[in-house]
Amino acid sequence: MKIENIGDLQVLMHTARSGSLTAAARALGITPAAASATLKRLETQLGTRLFERSTRAMRITPSGQILLDYAHRAFELLAEGESQAAADRGQLLGTVRVAAPSDLARNTLLPWFSEFLALHPGAELALTVGDRLLDVVRDEVDVAIRYGALADSRLVARPLAMGHPVLCASPEYLRRHPAPAVPQDLLQHNCLTFARGGRRHQLWRFALNGQWTEVRVRGDRTVDDASLVREWALAGAGIVLKSNIDVRQDLASGALQPLLTAWDTEPYPLHAMLPSGRFVPTRVRALVDFLALKFESMA
């Protein structure tokens, strides 16, 4: 084996993540000189350059990327080994790194995460909340909870729930504005929109008797955090089109009222996304199975 110290790979991983040896050294609690020496030692042992160095950043080479991918798997396997070694005590060990949409995390997932951690005291959660679509592979996320269809061939999708968007508004807004009777009436309303993946979600689709129609809505505000769109709707600012999962409690309490109920909307599936080429630790599989059962019971 050419690599004499597997711990040296931590320098590779942190440098690739931050693009800086100084940042990698800071994260590992060592000096930049020690981090540089470790990287040079790795390159000497392997006989190849792992990074292209410049005054601004460290850019990983194709050879470095290959080693980085295997390094991630190696440490994941070690963590899984620790978990399996503790399996006789019924424990899950290690951190599960989860990315989830803002509204879903706040209104649905948070108590479920707490319940999972209470069941497995050796497990830890690192949660990233937001509607920006993270690169699951590059951003080192174990599982991403996402709405919509699978578009990345590097991922595998575990279905969690089949939702559908619900058009709704608060009673206060509807006291000031007549409820729309057909989708085209939305052109006369203040429609609250949000951006996902850098694209503003303002083309709303509805179907009646199998015939689809589209309306490009307008409004006085948009945001990249879908939970704020829901807050605006609750405050009476306008009409929103949101997943029934996210607004189910508001609809049940009457805080939001459904509109155009005779019209269908497109299915809006919710998936747990996992990297297809990466080993999936037991703790990650356990969390995904737990969430799937929770969504099933909710349905």
Side-chain angles (χ1 to χ4, degrees):
M1 182 176 179
K2 293 184 177 181
I3 298 176
E4 298 175 357
N5 184 356
I6 193 172
D8 290 351
L9 294 174
Q10 291 279 9
V11 174
L12 170 77
M13 295 165 65
H14 282 275
T15 303
R17 184 181 307 158
S18 63
S20 164
L21 260 177
T22 301
R26 187 183 307 116
L28 292 169
I30 60 178
T31 66
S36 179
T38 297
L39 194 57
K40 289 178 180 178
R41 182 167 61 246
L42 272 175
E43 291 180 327
T44 299
Q45 290 168 354
L46 294 170
T48 187
R49 183 178 292 274
L50 300 176
F51 287 92
E52 296 293 344
R53 295 158 172 82
S54 70
T55 55
R56 292 186 176 181
M58 303 277 289
R59 185 169 59 86
I60 197 164
T61 65
S63 295
Q65 184 63 54
I66 292 172
L67 181 61
L68 178 65
D69 292 340
Y70 280 96
H72 283 306
R73 297 183 192 181
F75 281 101
E76 286 165 355
L77 283 169
L78 285 172
E80 180 64 8
E82 294 176 358
S83 179
Q84 292 294 337
D88 61 339
R89 302 193 302 274
Q91 292 185 350
L92 296 177
L93 295 178
T95 301
V96 185
R97 300 161 297 184
V98 181
S102 56
D103 224 4
L104 185 73
R106 292 181 173 94
N107 296 314
T108 301
L109 296 179
L110 283 184
W112 294 353
F113 288 145
S114 296
E115 184 177 345
F116 179 82
L117 293 175
L119 290 171
H120 304 286
E124 298 178 356
L125 174 72
L127 178 62
T128 300
V129 175
D131 294 301
R132 181 177 68 89
L133 296 183
L134 294 180
D135 186 313
V136 176
V137 177
R138 185 192 65 205
D139 292 321
E140 300 181 25
V141 174
D142 292 315
V143 56
I145 311 300
R146 289 183 182 172
Y147 283 111
L150 176 64
D152 192 333
S153 61
R154 299 174 301 167
L155 305 178
V156 293
R158 167 79 179 273
L160 294 176
M162 180 55 73
H164 64 273
V166 175
L167 190 74
C168 49
S170 71
E172 194 275 331
Y173 178 84
L174 294 173
R175 279 194 293 270
R176 294 183 283 110
H177 304 86
V182 294
Q184 287 73 19
D185 290 346
L186 292 172
L187 296 175
Q188 310 305 318
H189 283 270
N190 195 47
C191 296
L192 310 172
T193 61
F194 58 92
R196 177 168 288 147
R199 298 180 60 184
R200 186 177 178 185
H201 179 55
Q202 61 182 139
L203 189 64
W204 294 0
R205 302 187 76 233
F206 305 89
L208 186 64
N209 300 323
Q211 298 297 314
W212 287 91
T213 184
E214 296 180 346
V215 180
R216 185 169 293 278
V217 299
R218 298 186 298 270
D220 65 356
R221 63 195 77 184
T222 189
V223 68
D224 63 354
D225 185 329
S227 66
L228 295 182
V229 167
R230 173 177 159 272
E231 293 295 332
W232 284 336
L234 289 169
I239 294 178
V240 70
L241 185 67
K242 285 278 291 173
S243 167
N244 61 315
I245 298 172
D246 293 340
V247 296
R248 70 188 191 285
Q249 295 176 350
D250 303 317
L251 294 173
S253 68
L256 292 176
Q257 295 185 1
L259 305 171
L260 297 182
T261 55
W263 293 74
D264 296 322
T265 55
E266 292 181 299
Y268 203 32
L270 183 68
H271 294 105
M273 304 289 197
L274 302 122
S276 61
R278 186 188 296 173
F279 177 79
V280 180
T282 299
R283 62 185 179 276
V284 178
R285 292 198 302 269
L287 177 61
V288 173
D289 290 343
F290 178 84
L291 294 178
L293 286 175
K294 285 294 187 181
F295 279 109
E296 183 179 346
S297 64
M298 184 180 72

